[in-house]
Amino acid sequence: MKNDQIPLPRLIVGLGNPGSEYEHTRHNTGVDFLMLLSDEWKIPMRSESRFFGMCGKGSIRDHEVRLLFPETFMNESGKSVGAVCSFYKIRPEEVLVVHDDLDLKPGQMKLRFGGGFAGHNGLKSIGQYFGNSQNFLRLRIGIGMPPSRDVISWVLGRPFGADKDATSAAFKCALGAMDVLYSKGLDRATMAVNGFKYQAE
Protein backbone atom coordinates (compact mmCIF):
# COMPACT_ATOMS: atom_id res chain seq x y z
CA MET A 1 0.00 0.00 0.00
CA LYS A 2 1.42 3.38 -1.01
CA ASN A 3 1.67 6.18 1.54
CA ASP A 4 -0.99 8.26 -0.18
CA GLN A 5 -3.41 5.32 0.15
CA ILE A 6 -2.85 4.87 3.88
CA PRO A 7 -5.47 6.61 6.05
CA LEU A 8 -4.44 8.81 8.95
CA PRO A 9 -4.33 6.84 12.23
CA ARG A 10 -7.51 6.80 14.29
CA LEU A 11 -5.74 4.88 17.06
CA ILE A 12 -2.20 5.46 18.39
CA VAL A 13 -0.89 2.67 20.63
CA GLY A 14 2.14 3.04 22.91
CA LEU A 15 3.59 -0.31 23.93
CA GLY A 16 4.99 -1.10 27.37
CA ASN A 17 4.48 -3.11 30.53
CA PRO A 18 2.25 -1.97 33.41
CA GLY A 19 3.54 -1.36 36.93
CA SER A 20 5.96 1.05 38.57
CA GLU A 21 8.89 -1.36 38.23
CA TYR A 22 8.68 -1.02 34.44
CA GLU A 23 8.22 2.75 34.25
CA HIS A 24 10.68 4.48 31.89
CA THR A 25 12.48 1.26 31.01
CA ARG A 26 13.68 0.79 27.44
CA HIS A 27 10.80 -1.61 26.73
CA ASN A 28 8.37 1.14 27.78
CA THR A 29 9.69 3.62 25.24
CA GLY A 30 6.41 3.42 23.31
CA VAL A 31 4.20 4.33 26.25
CA ASP A 32 6.62 7.05 27.39
CA PHE A 33 6.19 8.70 23.99
CA LEU A 34 2.41 8.19 24.10
CA MET A 35 2.19 10.06 27.41
CA LEU A 36 4.18 12.96 25.96
CA LEU A 37 1.76 13.02 23.03
CA SER A 38 -1.14 13.01 25.48
CA ASP A 39 0.32 16.05 27.26
CA GLU A 40 1.19 17.86 24.02
CA TRP A 41 -2.34 17.67 22.64
CA LYS A 42 -4.13 17.74 26.01
CA ILE A 43 -5.70 14.32 25.59
CA PRO A 44 -6.48 12.98 29.09
CA MET A 45 -5.85 9.28 29.73
CA ARG A 46 -7.75 7.00 32.08
CA SER A 47 -7.91 3.27 32.74
CA GLU A 48 -10.86 1.50 31.08
CA SER A 49 -11.32 -2.11 32.13
CA ARG A 50 -13.36 -3.02 29.04
CA PHE A 51 -10.34 -2.13 26.90
CA PHE A 52 -7.70 -3.58 29.26
CA GLY A 53 -5.73 -0.36 29.15
CA MET A 54 -5.42 3.38 29.57
CA CYS A 55 -7.37 5.23 26.90
CA GLY A 56 -7.78 8.79 25.72
CA LYS A 57 -9.87 10.57 23.11
CA GLY A 58 -9.01 13.92 21.60
CA SER A 59 -7.88 15.56 18.41
CA ILE A 60 -4.65 16.33 16.62
CA ARG A 61 -4.95 19.04 13.97
CA ASP A 62 -8.74 18.64 13.99
CA HIS A 63 -8.53 14.88 13.41
CA GLU A 64 -10.22 12.72 16.05
CA VAL A 65 -7.69 10.37 17.61
CA ARG A 66 -7.74 7.71 20.31
CA LEU A 67 -4.67 6.92 22.40
CA LEU A 68 -4.09 3.54 24.06
CA PHE A 69 -1.58 2.08 26.51
CA PRO A 70 -2.42 -1.63 26.89
CA GLU A 71 -2.26 -2.44 30.61
CA THR A 72 -1.84 -6.09 29.78
CA PHE A 73 1.75 -7.26 29.71
CA MET A 74 3.60 -6.74 26.45
CA ASN A 75 2.97 -10.20 25.03
CA GLU A 76 -0.82 -9.72 25.37
CA SER A 77 -1.01 -6.24 23.85
CA GLY A 78 -3.30 -7.53 21.09
CA LYS A 79 -6.04 -8.23 23.64
CA SER A 80 -6.29 -4.52 24.44
CA VAL A 81 -5.79 -3.27 20.87
CA GLY A 82 -8.31 -5.79 19.63
CA ALA A 83 -10.95 -4.68 22.12
CA VAL A 84 -10.61 -1.02 21.10
CA CYS A 85 -10.54 -1.74 17.37
CA SER A 86 -13.54 -4.04 17.58
CA PHE A 87 -15.63 -1.58 19.59
CA TYR A 88 -14.84 1.50 17.47
CA LYS A 89 -14.57 -0.38 14.15
CA ILE A 90 -10.98 0.69 13.56
CA ARG A 91 -9.19 -1.13 10.74
CA PRO A 92 -5.55 -2.30 11.02
CA GLU A 93 -4.39 0.31 8.51
CA GLU A 94 -5.86 3.01 10.79
CA VAL A 95 -3.59 2.01 13.69
CA LEU A 96 -0.16 3.45 14.58
CA VAL A 97 1.92 1.43 17.06
CA VAL A 98 4.83 3.13 18.82
CA HIS A 99 7.46 0.76 20.19
CA ASP A 100 11.09 0.26 21.17
CA ASP A 101 13.49 -1.21 18.64
CA LEU A 102 16.76 -3.02 19.38
CA ASP A 103 17.99 -2.73 15.79
CA LEU A 104 18.06 1.07 15.92
CA LYS A 105 20.51 3.06 18.04
CA PRO A 106 19.19 5.55 20.62
CA GLY A 107 18.38 8.70 18.69
CA GLN A 108 17.35 6.78 15.57
CA MET A 109 13.74 6.28 14.49
CA LYS A 110 11.79 4.83 11.59
CA LEU A 111 8.19 5.44 10.55
CA ARG A 112 6.83 2.89 8.13
CA PHE A 113 3.74 0.93 7.15
CA GLY A 114 3.92 -2.84 7.48
CA GLY A 115 7.06 -4.94 7.87
CA GLY A 116 7.90 -7.86 10.12
CA PHE A 117 7.66 -8.12 13.87
CA ALA A 118 11.43 -8.53 14.46
CA GLY A 119 10.85 -10.69 17.54
CA HIS A 120 8.91 -7.94 19.34
CA ASN A 121 6.26 -9.67 21.45
CA GLY A 122 3.96 -6.66 21.51
CA LEU A 123 3.90 -6.41 17.72
CA LYS A 124 3.41 -10.16 17.42
CA SER A 125 0.41 -10.07 19.71
CA ILE A 126 -1.19 -7.20 17.79
CA GLY A 127 -0.49 -8.94 14.48
CA GLN A 128 -2.17 -12.09 15.76
CA TYR A 129 -5.32 -10.13 16.59
CA PHE A 130 -5.27 -8.73 13.06
CA GLY A 131 -5.15 -12.26 11.64
CA ASN A 132 -1.35 -12.19 11.41
CA SER A 133 -1.60 -9.08 9.25
CA GLN A 134 1.39 -6.75 9.31
CA ASN A 135 -0.56 -3.94 7.67
CA PHE A 136 -0.42 -1.26 10.32
CA LEU A 137 1.77 1.78 10.80
CA ARG A 138 4.75 1.62 13.19
CA LEU A 139 6.91 4.26 14.79
CA ARG A 140 10.11 2.45 15.80
CA ILE A 141 12.22 4.24 18.41
CA GLY A 142 15.75 2.96 18.86
CA ILE A 143 17.06 1.61 22.16
CA GLY A 144 20.21 -0.05 20.77
CA MET A 145 21.69 -3.48 21.33
CA PRO A 146 22.93 -4.54 24.78
CA PRO A 147 26.70 -4.63 25.28
CA SER A 148 26.29 -8.25 26.41
CA ARG A 149 23.83 -10.91 25.24
CA ASP A 150 21.47 -10.26 28.14
CA VAL A 151 18.65 -8.75 26.11
CA ILE A 152 16.01 -9.14 28.83
CA SER A 153 17.98 -7.14 31.41
CA TRP A 154 18.73 -4.53 28.75
CA VAL A 155 15.15 -3.90 27.63
CA LEU A 156 13.89 -3.93 31.24
CA GLY A 157 16.61 -1.49 32.32
CA ARG A 158 16.44 2.29 32.16
CA PRO A 159 18.52 4.32 29.70
CA PHE A 160 20.96 6.82 31.15
CA GLY A 161 23.57 9.33 30.06
CA ALA A 162 23.99 9.78 26.31
CA ASP A 163 21.33 7.14 25.53
CA LYS A 164 18.75 8.97 27.61
CA ASP A 165 19.63 12.29 25.97
CA ALA A 166 19.38 10.76 22.50
CA THR A 167 15.97 9.24 23.29
CA SER A 168 14.67 12.57 24.63
CA ALA A 169 15.76 14.28 21.42
CA ALA A 170 14.06 11.57 19.36
CA PHE A 171 10.85 12.05 21.35
CA LYS A 172 10.93 15.79 20.58
CA CYS A 173 11.34 15.13 16.87
CA ALA A 174 8.60 12.48 16.89
CA LEU A 175 6.16 14.86 18.58
CA GLY A 176 6.73 17.33 15.79
CA ALA A 177 6.30 14.56 13.24
CA MET A 178 2.87 13.68 14.64
CA ASP A 179 1.84 17.29 14.06
CA VAL A 180 3.16 16.99 10.49
CA LEU A 181 1.40 13.64 9.99
CA TYR A 182 -2.03 15.10 10.69
CA SER A 183 -1.43 18.41 8.95
CA LYS A 184 0.71 17.52 5.91
CA GLY A 185 0.44 13.76 5.52
CA LEU A 186 2.43 10.56 5.93
CA ASP A 187 5.13 11.30 3.34
CA ARG A 188 6.21 14.49 5.09
CA ALA A 189 6.03 12.87 8.54
CA THR A 190 8.11 9.92 7.33
CA MET A 191 10.81 12.26 6.01
CA ALA A 192 10.91 14.09 9.35
CA VAL A 193 11.25 10.88 11.38
CA ASN A 194 13.51 8.82 9.12
CA GLY A 195 15.79 11.76 8.40
CA PHE A 196 16.37 12.60 12.07
CA LYS A 197 19.96 12.32 13.23
CA TYR A 198 20.76 13.01 16.86
CA GLN A 199 23.78 15.17 17.53
CA ALA A 200 25.03 15.42 21.09
CA GLU A 201 25.52 18.95 22.33
Side-chain angles (χ1 to χ4, degrees):
M1 186 179 289
K2 296 180 180 179
N3 279 359
D4 59 0
Q5 298 174 315
I6 299 168
L8 290 174
R10 293 173 56 202
L11 175 65
I12 301 177
V13 182
L15 293 185
N17 285 308
S20 59
E21 66 269 36
Y22 298 108
E23 285 182 358
H24 310 306
T25 59
R26 293 180 179 89
H27 218 21
N28 275 38
T29 296
V31 70
D32 282 350
F33 175 74
L34 188 80
M35 293 309 175
L36 291 175
L37 190 67
S38 167
D39 290 342
E40 179 81 4
W41 290 96
K42 297 178 173 56
I43 302 175
M45 303 284 290
R46 66 176 185 177
S47 289
E48 294 199 36
S49 58
R50 62 178 172 165
F51 297 136
F52 312 101
M54 288 186 68
C55 306
K57 176 185 174 184
S59 62
I60 299 177
R61 291 294 181 185
D62 298 322
H63 293 273
E64 183 178 289
V65 178
R66 296 183 187 278
L67 306 182
L68 173 66
F69 164 38
E71 291 183 300
T72 58
F73 281 95
M74 185 73 81
N75 61 358
E76 293 186 337
S77 300
K79 179 179 180 181
S80 177
V81 174
V84 173
C85 288
S86 177
F87 188 84
Y88 293 111
K89 296 179 172 56
I90 297 172
R91 296 171 293 157
E93 58 267 30
E94 296 174 316
V95 176
L96 167 60
V97 179
V98 187
H99 64 92
D100 60 299
D101 196 299
L102 286 162
D103 293 326
L104 299 175
K105 296 178 181 178
Q108 291 182 326
M109 298 181 294
K110 295 294 180 184
L111 178 64
R112 65 170 294 179
F113 183 80
F117 302 139
H120 195 290
N121 289 331
L123 292 180
K124 282 183 183 178
S125 179
I126 293 168
Q128 287 169 356
Y129 166 74
F130 289 147
N132 292 319
S133 171
Q134 302 175 4
N135 293 330
F136 52 92
L137 197 61
R138 302 101 181 276
L139 173 58
R140 301 161 53 200
I141 301 178
I143 62 170
M145 284 287 185
S148 68
R149 294 186 178 183
D150 190 356
V151 173
I152 293 176
S153 293
W154 179 255
V155 299
L156 297 183
R158 293 176 174 84
F160 57 90
D163 285 359
K164 185 175 181 180
D165 292 343
T167 300
S168 295
F171 282 166
K172 185 176 180 179
C173 172
L175 284 175
M178 292 299 99
D179 190 335
V180 171
L181 174 63
Y182 287 95
S183 60
K184 298 179 181 177
L186 181 56
D187 278 336
R188 293 285 293 273
T190 300
M191 285 191 289
V193 169
N194 295 3
F196 175 72
K197 289 182 174 60
Y198 171 68
Q199 293 183 335
E201 297 180 357

